[in-house]
Amino acid sequence: MCGIVGVLGEHEVAPILVEALKRLEYRGYDSAGIATVSNGHLDRRRAVGKLVNLSDLLVHQPLAGKAGIGHTRWATHGAPTEANAHPHKSGPVAVVHNGIIENYRELRAELAAAGIGHETDTDTETVALLTHHYMTQGMDAASAARATIARLEGAYALCFLFDGEPDLLVAARKGSPLAIGHGAGEMFVGSDAIALAPMTDSITYLEEGDIAVVTRQSLTITDAQGRLANRSVKTIEIDSARVDKAGHKHFMAKEIAEQPSVIGAALSHYLSADGRNIVLPDTMPDFATISRLTMVACGTAYYACLTAKYWFERLAGLPVEVDIASEFRYREPPITPGTLALFVSQSGETADTLAALRYCTDRVDTILSVVNVAESSIARESDLALPILAGAEIGVASTKAFTCQLTVLLLLALRAAHARGQIDDDRLADILSSLRALPSTLNTAMERNTQIRIVARQLSTSENALFLGRGLMYPLALEGALKLKEISYIHAEAYASGELKHGPIALIDDTMPVIVMAPCDALFDKTVSNMQEVMARGGRILLISDARGIATAGDGVWQTVSMPDIDPILSPILYALPAQLLAYHTAVAKGTDVDQPRNLAKSVTVE
Ligand code: F6R
């Protein structure tokens, strides 16, 4: 939620700030703004809506200066207006912020008592006002920023710029990530390393509570206790910082197409060279001694956990609870001895998932996480973080991260099954062999792209859609519905097929497309009965199944998509592909903003 950037450069910074914001736009796109210091003078430009509006504004009203800060906003406090857009400014202070200042009302009241009024609806303006206030009391810029930060409650990544200080940025992190980039005679601040990738691959990640005073030649970091802190400089891999569309129309299309290769990379990482053994770190807890697994996540990652519940229970006989992080954190669930807590997150920064992890920290022996961003807060606060190796995911709707999460979770379930003596060697070898073949099976499934595009064109005229799935396909039905609604804005619901007649069947008429995802497995006959119930009421069935399933389903089905055969245990990973393609092509047919759907942001760092 919100992306921030700061640059102390050798060249004009406005274009550099805009380029960095472009790479952060996935975090929010309600408004954007930059501020620079030029000839000792602090000035800013802000525009409502996407970054392109700010770029247009800068053509007509350019901003000079070699020091600057920038922001792309996902609105929390105050509507997405120009007045509420960052950077916020008071006197000689400009500030950009990602997060929420929870005590801003108290601070505002205190400032009002000192005769200082506010002009915006935001919590962030209070930060600028308070810092300015401290400066009028004689503090220098860095001290005033520090004094302000000490007063703040809530979550923040902040970057300050000051009038008359062309060689100073002050940055602070608490609850929202922040990276400092090192250049040759230049320094950078960014919400993530990707934003800074064109400028530098040398990154220092701030820790919780850190304050950084940055000049072109120096970086001084103090920790939450005010002590000087020595944070390492890491070299990030350029590959993980690539954010081009590689010839695709949208990032989402590119990320869907990348799945065979990134899943292949995850498999190479977690399988031995001969592909016959699962290789996990030595510090991995022993599943034989675990009595319960608690999995916590949000959104798509939550559906990955729901899928994994079937795997852990069926393959390993391990009882699993799966929770939505925002519910888990406030429910205060009792955690019984022998529980392993597992958190799944693409960004590793989701505020609710992080809070749920912290709730478990002193209550379980091991905190395990499955993350995409290796340097994220969730990864760093876990005892063991397993990377999914999906690479940067820029499209707001998660695709390749979901299937990579599933791949890693299945490998964990197989390890658990083996450790608990619940799977014989032949069955394990069979599943591993199907997993090794999965990238090629996914490539075959990609050949359905054109057919799915044609179906999606018809789906795009519907106002509603229903997804049905049974067993392992039920969580995928939920994910399919989420994908469709978030990017095409078609209202979509998902039900376990067996639940249909307990209420949702009332929705069925000839305007209701019903997407059934069902490989021809042991439960298929039951799903056929559910499809008959839909068709008998005029509902239009789109059946995504294998050749045997499509033949068994018989006549009367509106549309079919035939998938390659696969071991049923792997079917959620394979069938995610048509669900994603269906949502993608429907959104394209409707002309919605596929990569940046309305009201959403990629990294949800506020609760
Ligand atoms: C949907 C989507 C979201 C995220 C959710 C959790 O396509 O992307 O539902 O899955 O916000 O995000 P992470 O995985 O970053 O914790």
Side-chain angles (χ1 to χ4, degrees):
M1 317 248 99
C2 302
I4 71 175
V5 62
V7 178
L8 295 174
E10 290 210 303
H11 306 281
E12 289 299 308
V13 288
I16 302 172
L17 290 168
V18 170
E19 176 57 31
L21 289 178
K22 206 181 282 169
R23 294 167 154 256
L24 288 172
E25 210 181 7
Y26 71 91
R27 300 175 76 93
Y29 30 85
D30 288 331
S31 65
I34 63 169
T36 62
V37 178
S38 175
N39 296 326
H41 178 64
L42 180 66
D43 205 353
R44 63 180 167 169
R45 301 283 182 270
R46 298 172 298 164
V48 173
K50 295 221 169 175
L51 188 59
V52 68
N53 299 342
L54 177 68
S55 302
D56 288 350
L57 178 71
L58 285 165
V59 170
H60 303 291
Q61 298 173 36
L63 262 192
K66 295 182 178 174
I69 54 177
H71 188 268
T72 177
R73 179 170 189 239
W74 187 83
T76 58
H77 292 68
T81 60
E82 186 179 331
N84 289 335
H86 299 219
H88 286 285
K89 186 172 172 301
S90 176
V93 183
V95 65
V96 286
H97 169 218
N98 168 29
I100 291 179
I101 307 299
E102 285 168 0
N103 62 334
Y104 81 101
R105 284 189 192 81
E106 292 92 305
L107 295 173
R108 209 185 244 184
E110 189 182 312
L111 289 162
I116 301 165
H118 60 271
E119 288 171 2
T120 78
D121 307 320
T122 67
D123 50 341
T124 309
E125 183 193 17
T126 318
V127 179
L129 290 171
L130 189 59
T131 311
H132 179 195
H133 178 54
Y134 286 137
M135 287 178 80
T136 58
Q137 295 181 336
M139 286 191 195
D140 63 51
S143 308
R146 275 182 196 287
T148 300
I149 292 161
R151 303 286 315 280
L152 303 180
E153 287 166 22
Y156 49 78
L158 291 163
C159 190
F160 295 81
L161 179 73
F162 301 92
D163 207 344
E165 297 275 4
D167 193 23
L168 177 68
L169 293 174
V170 178
R173 171 201 168 133
K174 188 178 154 223
S176 300
L178 207 52
I180 310 285
H182 303 256
E186 300 185 307
M187 291 292 274
F188 310 94
V189 175
S191 292
D192 63 30
I194 290 176
L196 307 182
M199 286 89 83
T200 180
D201 62 355
S202 298
I203 298 292
T204 297
Y205 289 98
L206 295 189
E207 304 270 331
E208 284 295 276
D210 279 358
I211 298 178
V213 176
V214 187
T215 71
R216 285 181 181 75
Q217 299 299 339
S218 69
L219 170 64
T220 311
I221 301 175
T222 44
D223 66 13
Q225 283 71 44
R227 295 172 304 214
L228 270 182
N230 195 2
R231 308 279 179 236
S232 59
V233 182
K234 300 190 173 178
T235 305
I236 58 153
E237 285 175 27
I238 294 300
D239 240 21
S240 71
R242 274 195 58 184
V243 290
D244 58 285
K245 292 183 194 154
H248 292 270
K249 197 170 165 197
H250 298 101
F251 281 110
M252 185 178 177
K254 175 195 168 211
E255 287 159 7
I256 291 173
E258 274 174 353
Q259 290 178 109
S261 73
V262 289
I263 288 174
L267 288 170
S268 312
H269 183 83
Y270 289 107
L271 292 180
S272 57
D274 64 3
R276 293 179 198 285
N277 292 299
I278 298 164
V279 182
L280 290 166
D282 295 343
T283 49
M284 185 69 205
D286 180 2
F287 278 106
T289 63
I290 287 161
S291 54
R292 178 166 291 277
L293 178 62
T294 289
M295 302 178 76
V296 185
C298 298
T300 288
Y302 168 69
Y303 296 142
C305 294
L306 277 187
T307 312
K309 176 182 169 76
Y310 285 78
W311 285 329
F312 277 105
E313 292 188 347
R314 188 177 296 173
L315 294 169
L318 181 61
V320 178
E321 280 166 19
V322 181
D323 253 297
I324 293 171
S326 54
E327 290 299 313
F328 181 90
R329 63 181 290 190
Y330 293 115
R331 210 178 64 234
E332 300 185 3
I335 310 268
T336 49
T339 299
L340 172 65
L342 172 54
F343 300 86
V344 180
S345 174
Q346 186 283 128
S347 63
E349 300 295 347
T350 301
D352 285 321
T353 310
L354 186 57
L357 181 154
R358 289 177 179 157
Y359 173 82
C360 288
T361 300
D362 297 326
R363 293 178 169 87
V364 296
D365 293 335
T366 310
I367 300 270
L368 183 63
S369 63
V370 169
V371 291
N372 195 27
V373 181
E375 291 294 342
S376 60
S377 305
I378 288 175
R380 287 194 287 156
E381 294 192 28
S382 303
D383 296 305
L384 178 60
L386 300 175
I388 60 167
L389 304 155
E393 190 180 66
I394 302 298
V396 163
S398 189
T399 52
K400 61 176 180 169
F402 177 64
T403 48
C404 286
Q405 285 162 353
L406 289 179
T407 304
V408 175
L409 290 170
L410 177 54
L411 290 169
L412 285 179
L414 289 168
R415 160 63 74 92
H418 191 252
R420 297 165 71 84
Q422 297 281 325
I423 192 166
D424 62 42
D425 289 348
D426 289 348
R427 179 70 182 124
L428 181 59
D430 275 356
I431 298 177
L432 289 181
S433 150
S434 303
L435 261 173
R436 289 194 304 273
L438 187 59
S440 122
T441 317
L442 281 161
N443 273 324
T444 309
M446 272 307 279
E447 290 165 13
R448 284 39 168 190
N449 188 35
T450 307
Q451 189 198 350
I452 294 172
R453 190 170 64 218
I454 293 164
V455 179
R457 225 175 274 148
Q458 300 180 56
L459 187 64
S460 68
T461 59
S462 302
E463 286 182 5
N464 301 288
L466 209 55
F467 284 72
L468 297 180
R470 242 176 214 280
L472 274 166
M473 287 290 121
Y474 168 49
L476 187 63
L478 291 163
E479 169 62 3
L482 175 64
K483 277 299 82 95
L484 185 68
K485 71 183 124 191
E486 72 180 321
I487 60 168
S488 77
Y489 315 144
I490 290 175
H491 172 230
E493 300 275 353
Y495 285 93
S497 307
E499 269 292 291
L500 191 65
K501 56 175 90 58
H502 298 288
I505 200 163
L507 295 169
I508 304 292
D509 63 15
D510 59 5
T511 66
M512 178 65 87
V514 180
I515 296 112
V516 179
M517 291 191 287
C520 193
D521 58 11
L523 300 174
F524 190 71
D525 287 344
K526 296 183 192 306
T527 301
V528 171
S529 305
N530 300 134
M531 289 196 298
Q532 293 299 342
E533 291 155 11
V534 170
M535 291 189 292
R537 287 156 183 86
R540 290 179 297 153
I541 299 272
L542 162 57
L543 174 63
I544 305 177
S545 185
D546 45 38
R548 205 153 55 91
I550 288 169
T552 311
D555 296 336
V557 173
W558 170 54
Q559 302 274 354
T560 58
V561 174
S562 178
M563 298 294 289
D565 289 333
I566 192 157
D567 186 320
I569 210 83
L570 269 66
S571 50
I573 314 181
L574 179 65
Y575 281 62
L577 191 69
Q580 295 162 351
L581 287 171
L582 191 66
Y584 173 73
H585 288 303
T586 305
V588 171
K590 288 195 69 176
T592 56
D593 191 337
V594 172
D595 282 335
Q596 296 179 340
R598 69 186 178 204
N599 306 338
L600 289 172
K602 184 79 182 159
S603 183
V604 186
T605 54
V606 295
E607 64 172 295

